[in-house]
Amino acid sequence: MQRRRDLGQAIVQLRKEHDLSQERLALEAGIDRSYMGRIERGERSVSYDKLWAVCDALHISLAELILKAESVRRGVKIESRD
């Protein structure tokens, strides 16, 4: 459960760094906005395909998302490379 929360927090941070609303990110990723909210809160597991869709919408690699989630877990701030 904690890893889901870390991943969700990483998505929130990246979304905000890219100046996107939750609704816009969900639209760009082809995910229902309420489902995106549950992902961001760590309430839902997310499939590999959905992770790729989120990464594509954020214009980042899956590796960058995982690195961001690891940084959340460790409490280290890592900025995305725009």
Side-chain angles (χ1 to χ4, degrees), residues 3-82:
R3 289 179 191 247
R4 286 196 315 233
R5 284 193 295 265
D6 295 342
L7 179 66
Q9 187 58 43
I11 292 170
V12 170
Q13 288 178 12
L14 289 162
R15 175 173 60 76
K16 289 179 178 180
E17 288 173 19
H18 287 83
D19 198 30
L20 292 172
S21 67
Q22 186 182 78
E23 184 175 12
R24 184 65 187 180
L25 177 58
L27 180 67
E28 298 271 332
I31 298 172
D32 182 74
R33 194 222 41 87
S34 63
Y35 184 67
M36 179 64 75
R38 290 191 299 274
I39 292 169
E40 288 186 353
R41 290 187 301 274
E43 297 171 358
R44 297 290 302 189
S45 293
V46 59
S47 72
Y48 187 70
D49 289 336
K50 298 278 189 225
L51 282 178
W52 272 112
V54 170
C55 289
D56 288 345
L58 291 169
H59 306 287
I60 62 169
S61 69
L62 184 57
E64 287 176 276
L65 177 57
I66 299 304
L67 179 62
K68 186 72 159 186
E70 283 294 308
S71 74
V72 167
R73 185 176 65 81
R74 293 183 180 139
V76 177
K77 185 170 172 75
I78 296 177
E79 297 293 327
S80 67
R81 59 173 182 97
D82 283 339

